[in-house]
Amino acid sequence: MEALQMLFSGFALALEPSNILMAALGAFVGTMVGVLPGLGPTSAIAILLPLTAVLPPTQAIIMLAGIYYGAMYGGSSTAILLNIPGEVASVPTCLDGYPMAQQGRGGPALGIAAIGSFIAGIMGIIALTFFAPLFAEQALKFGPPEYFALMLLALTIVVSLGGASIGKALAMGFFGYLLSLIGLGTMTNMPRLTFGYTPLWGGLDVISVVIGLFAISEVLNGIEEKKIAISMGNIGSVFPGLKDLKQSIKSIFRGGALGFFMGLLPGCSPAVTTFLAYDLEKKCSKTPERFGKGAIEGVAAPESANNATSSAGFIPLFALGIPASPPLAVLLGGLMIYGLTPGPLLFEQNGDFVWAVIASMFIGNVMCLVLNLPLVGLWARLTQIPYGILAPIILLISIVGAYTVRNDMFDVLVALIFGVVGYFMNKFNWPVVPFIICFILGPMLERSLLQSFGMAFENPFIFFQRPISLTLLVATGIFLVVSLKLRRRTQSRIDNSGFEVK
């Protein structure tokens, strides 16, 4: 009841015209940032942070928080319609969202992405309101051994999302992990696999790799196929119907719940939780063979997980001062600039500020939904623009997106190279998803393994001596068995139906 009273007092502040304006501005900028590949909420918040010095702290943080969760909404638009993930977290959305757009169902895909994001975001904020200190304390029990076991669990996705050949999936996973090692060593800071080429010291940026494998390779495929437009069929209804909502509602709640609990863990970004949500949804489905061909649940689950993870990240930030993701780390800097020290005392000493920000997140999520749904019809019609016009635009957006990550032409070169690699991978049916997963998780796995050995003086049994890590290792074994059985069941159904799986 006390939390509810504080929330109502927060709404009294958040509903002031100046604060509503800041929430609306943050939601709008965040949505635009999410649409543009490569820019991302981290860069946007960092760019705007100095400009907020002229604002009171409540207004400034409301706007910056709006940019963060607004970007989670916006990232799905280009992922679904153009196969360009605005953020790495939007990659799973491409897997079924883009096939839906090709079938003329881009509108329902965008609609369910916005609705799922809204429901999951509200779920996360409600949990933030009532359980912030409790959840934050539990998240502190995760150390390097627990993170290592969690990353192993996440790697089981490679088996279930690896396409028709498990050999190809494992080979691509190994290739992705190998390329993730390029650059300075995680613990040693010594260059490795750079071959004396200085630009490789910074490693291969994941955004450039993703843009190449998805967006640029898709343009090359379209040119080869002499594509007239992304979708040649009738667009039909631009909003999800009752059947779509019925199919998606369980996926939204499953993805939202998974995204929220994973989002409590520092370092467990939406890029990880969206893949886990997609994999979980495929395992729960009675028809897993539909995934990758335009299953609306494959859009609902990762988009819900994406927004729930973003909301959950504010719990360790406010309650403990621990940022769960790069955008929240920049937001932490904003709090410190205003002399607001995150932690248990923040709720006591600056309660008005905290509850106003939390209340503004309810308002901001409603604004994001209102902002995104009316644009669904407009976005959906992009799929019928002649491909001769659209392809150069996609290439331009891709090149600009790759460049803006680090303002380096080397990243553009990386995107172009991986565009060609992605084209040949698609042509010869080599799966992209295992490569991306291992490329993202590789550095996290290595870092947590080395830190665990450092804690235990190189004793490998540390993973079995801690209850949480042991539980996660057992879950990894169970998930691996389930994934192998699911593969056999899916492949059997596909063989019987005559479909071809890449």
Side-chain angles (χ1 to χ4, degrees):
M1 289 300 295
E2 183 182 352
L4 206 55
Q5 290 173 355
M6 296 301 293
L7 180 63
F8 286 138
S9 66
F11 268 112
L13 287 172
L15 289 171
E16 291 179 0
S18 58
N19 289 332
I20 291 177
L21 178 63
M22 289 299 106
L25 181 61
F28 176 75
V29 172
T31 301
M32 295 300 104
V33 163
V35 169
L36 298 173
L39 184 54
T42 307
S43 302
I45 294 172
I47 291 168
L48 292 175
L49 187 58
L51 302 179
T52 61
V54 298
L55 297 173
T58 303
Q59 293 180 16
I61 301 303
I62 283 175
M63 185 186 73
L64 296 177
I67 293 173
Y68 180 39
Y69 53 76
M72 300 300 108
Y73 277 82
S76 63
S77 302
T78 51
I80 290 169
L81 299 175
L82 305 177
N83 207 31
I84 305 176
E87 279 281 305
V88 182
S90 299
V91 171
T93 306
C94 292
L95 302 180
D96 281 285
Y98 187 63
M100 286 186 69
Q102 290 176 308
Q103 296 161 16
R105 301 195 69 228
L110 287 170
I112 212 67
I115 292 168
S117 294
F118 172 74
I119 293 173
I122 294 298
M123 285 168 55
I125 300 166
I126 290 171
L128 168 63
T129 301
F130 294 102
F131 305 111
L134 174 64
F135 283 138
E137 288 174 11
Q138 296 302 314
L140 280 179
K141 295 180 180 178
F142 263 71
E146 286 75 22
Y147 276 105
F148 175 76
L150 182 63
M151 291 304 108
L152 277 183
L153 177 63
L155 284 174
T156 61
I157 301 172
V158 170
V159 177
S160 57
L161 301 185
S165 169
I166 194 169
K168 286 184 176 180
L170 293 176
M172 292 310 300
F174 176 76
F175 184 45
Y177 175 69
L178 190 65
L179 292 188
S180 75
L181 298 177
I182 294 175
L184 299 179
T186 304
M187 304 295 284
T188 63
N189 275 336
M190 296 295 291
R192 56 189 185 185
L193 300 178
T194 58
F195 306 104
Y197 187 52
T198 307
L200 284 175
W201 281 35
L204 301 178
D205 183 77
V206 67
I207 292 290
S208 301
V209 172
V210 165
I211 286 174
L213 288 175
F214 284 86
I216 297 177
S217 69
E218 186 60 37
V219 170
L220 296 177
N221 288 329
I223 293 172
E224 183 188 38
E225 296 169 3
K226 298 180 180 178
K227 193 179 287 185
I228 298 174
I230 289 175
S231 171
M232 292 300 298
N234 189 3
I235 290 177
S237 174
V238 295
F239 294 107
L242 288 176
K243 182 182 177 183
D244 294 323
L245 292 170
K246 187 177 179 181
Q247 279 183 302
S248 304
I249 193 66
K250 290 181 180 178
S251 306
I252 290 171
F253 281 102
R254 272 194 293 262
L258 175 67
F260 175 78
F261 286 109
M262 297 293 289
L264 296 172
L265 307 176
C268 198
S269 67
V272 178
T273 58
T274 50
F275 274 108
L276 286 171
Y278 185 89
D279 183 54
L280 176 64
E281 202 52 43
K282 187 175 180 180
K283 285 183 169 68
C284 292
S285 175
K286 294 179 180 178
T287 53
E289 65 275 9
R290 293 171 45 247
F291 282 73
K293 301 186 182 70
I296 198 164
E297 305 96 305
V299 175
E303 283 301 311
S304 302
N306 193 0
N307 224 45
T309 302
S310 306
S311 300
F314 284 91
I315 292 180
L317 177 69
F318 284 157
L320 299 170
I322 301 174
S325 62
L328 292 178
V330 181
L331 202 59
L332 174 62
L335 292 171
M336 302 299 281
I337 288 172
Y338 286 104
L340 299 166
T341 305
L345 292 179
L346 183 66
F347 284 83
E348 295 181 16
Q349 297 176 352
N350 302 98
D352 290 345
F353 160 78
V354 173
W355 290 106
V357 171
I358 292 174
S360 76
M361 292 168 69
F362 283 97
I363 299 167
N365 269 272
V366 173
M367 287 180 172
C368 284
L369 184 67
V370 171
L371 184 65
N372 280 270
L373 280 182
L375 294 175
V376 164
L378 175 64
W379 293 130
R381 282 169 176 76
L382 287 176
T383 60
Q384 296 198 321
I385 293 176
Y387 205 70
I389 298 173
L390 195 58
I393 296 173
I394 294 173
L395 274 176
L396 178 63
I397 293 173
S398 301
I399 290 170
V400 171
Y403 178 77
T404 53
V405 178
R406 297 188 292 195
N407 296 326
D408 193 343
M409 285 302 296
F410 174 71
D411 290 328
V412 176
L413 178 62
V414 169
L416 293 173
I417 291 172
F418 275 93
V420 176
V421 171
Y423 165 77
F424 283 108
M425 286 169 65
N426 183 70
K427 192 175 182 67
F428 295 104
N429 295 341
W430 284 82
V432 174
V433 174
F435 175 90
I436 293 293
I437 291 170
C438 292
F439 187 81
I440 294 170
L441 296 183
M444 301 181 189
L445 187 75
E446 180 191 9
R447 187 183 305 111
S448 55
L449 177 64
L450 294 176
Q451 289 175 343
S452 299
F453 280 155
M455 287 173 56
F457 304 102
E458 301 186 4
N459 176 15
F461 294 103
I462 185 174
F463 303 107
F464 303 96
Q465 293 168 348
R466 296 166 68 107
I468 297 177
S469 61
L470 178 60
T471 302
L472 288 171
L473 288 174
V474 171
T476 300
I478 294 171
F479 267 64
L480 191 58
V481 172
V482 171
S483 297
L484 289 170
K485 286 186 175 181
L486 179 65
R487 278 184 63 85
R488 282 197 290 269
R489 188 181 80 179
T490 305
Q491 192 60 45
S492 174
R493 289 185 178 184
I494 290 169
D495 292 341
N496 293 333
S497 64
F499 286 128
E500 179 187 356
V501 176
K502 296 182 179 181

